[in-house]
Amino acid sequence: MTSVTRSAMRRSGESGSECYALAPMCRLIALMTTFVLALPIVFGIAGISLGRPRSMAPLGLCVVFMMACFVVWVWFRPKLFVVSHDFLTIQWPIRKKAWKRSDVLSATIISNSDNVRKRASPQGNIYKWTSS
């Protein structure tokens, strides 16, 4: 990662902490996300055009899909990573989880080329943090 990219993702937080935003999506993931987010629109249009008795299934799918997308967005998709002197914190839109820095036994910086190699390998685990 170049210093320009790294500095664009990093900003100083309160009391000497460093904040890291979520990395931009690659084209494939952005395309798949757009496709998945378009599905409720397709179900909604199908439900409206089918008429009253047959419209309940597509409209129900539309509502369930929109709720699932909302839950994934606010509960599972991290918004910010904060590294302070004492804690490592991951913030989601509606929750936050912090680990003491002393509990993190090791961490490895993974370059983009290493990341591509790890995803191509059968073991593929790119998360290198281990804690007690």
Side-chain angles (χ1 to χ4, degrees), residues 28-42:
L28 177 62
I29 297 296
L31 184 67
M32 289 189 316
T33 301
T34 304
F35 174 75
V36 168
L37 291 177
L39 284 177
I41 297 168
V42 171

Side-chain angles (χ1 to χ4, degrees), residues 13-88:
E14 68 277 346
S15 68
S17 62
E18 290 184 8
C19 302
Y20 297 90
L22 196 61
M25 290 188 223
C26 70
R27 286 186 190 152
L28 177 62
I29 297 296
L31 184 67
M32 289 189 316
T33 301
T34 304
F35 174 75
V36 168
L37 291 177
L39 284 177
I41 297 168
V42 171
F43 289 136
I45 291 170
I48 291 170
S49 67
L50 283 176
R52 186 68 160 120
R54 295 183 295 178
S55 68
M56 294 316 235
L59 287 177
L61 281 173
C62 176
V63 169
V64 168
F65 231 89
M66 287 182 355
M67 288 183 348
C69 289
F70 177 77
V71 167
V72 166
W73 193 267
V74 299
W75 190 259
F76 294 108
R77 188 175 185 271
K79 172 174 96 167
L80 192 64
F81 301 90
V82 181
V83 180
S84 66
H85 193 277
D86 299 326
F87 289 96
L88 166 66

